[in-house]
Amino acid sequence: MKYKIHRCNCRKLWSIQTNKTKFTALSVLLDGSWYTELKPQRKYNPKGFVTTKGKQGIMVNPPLEEVEKFEKVSKLIYDKKNVNFNVSEGNSLFFAEDGTCYLLKKL
């Protein structure tokens, strides 16, 4: 099942959703393959999502010890004006409480 992760800035939370469920979190650790999905054709609110094929790598509100097992390599940046990401796929991400998304590498 496909999971989409995006930032809900109005509530300052990360939203994780499928076609059947939706839940929110302050932070999310994604330890698994991911890719970006863009919806630029949406007339009123074009969006970009991080998408993964399964829930097994998603950890909601992870403890600090889990996050420290990774090195923050760089940031995943979404350009809202051009509806584009700076990186289109990878293996691990950390969606931080402050709204920043980091590309990770296991230590």
Side-chain angles (χ1 to χ4, degrees):
M1 183 175 288
K2 181 166 77 168
Y3 285 79
K4 291 182 182 179
I5 304 170
H6 66 94
R7 181 73 174 174
C8 180
N9 285 325
C10 58
R11 297 186 333 192
K12 307 271 190 250
L13 295 170
W14 292 101
S15 176
I16 302 107
Q17 65 186 57
T18 69
N19 59 348
K20 295 182 180 183
T21 63
K22 178 179 179 180
F23 53 97
T24 57
L26 292 172
S27 62
V28 178
L29 178 62
L30 174 57
D31 186 13
S33 63
W34 59 270
Y35 58 95
T36 58
E37 185 176 319
L38 302 169
K39 303 266 184 175
Q41 70 277 12
R42 291 178 63 174
K43 186 174 182 178
Y44 294 106
N45 191 12
K47 288 198 176 193
F49 304 92
V50 170
T51 307
T52 184
K53 292 288 185 188
K55 188 180 179 184
Q56 67 272 7
I58 299 173
M59 186 180 294
V60 177
N61 299 322
L64 188 57
E65 300 82 46
E66 287 296 319
V67 178
E68 289 175 343
K69 294 179 182 177
F70 296 88
E71 175 187 351
K72 293 177 182 174
V73 177
S74 62
K75 292 181 182 179
L76 178 66
I77 300 171
Y78 175 63
D79 180 357
K80 189 173 183 174
K81 181 179 177 185
N82 296 314
V83 189
N84 201 8
F85 284 94
N86 64 331
V87 179
S88 62
E89 60 184 44
N91 285 320
S92 298
L93 288 174
F94 177 60
F95 302 87
E97 288 185 39
D98 66 0
T100 307
C101 183
Y102 295 98
L103 297 158
L104 301 175
K105 182 174 83 172
K106 280 192 177 180
L107 294 174

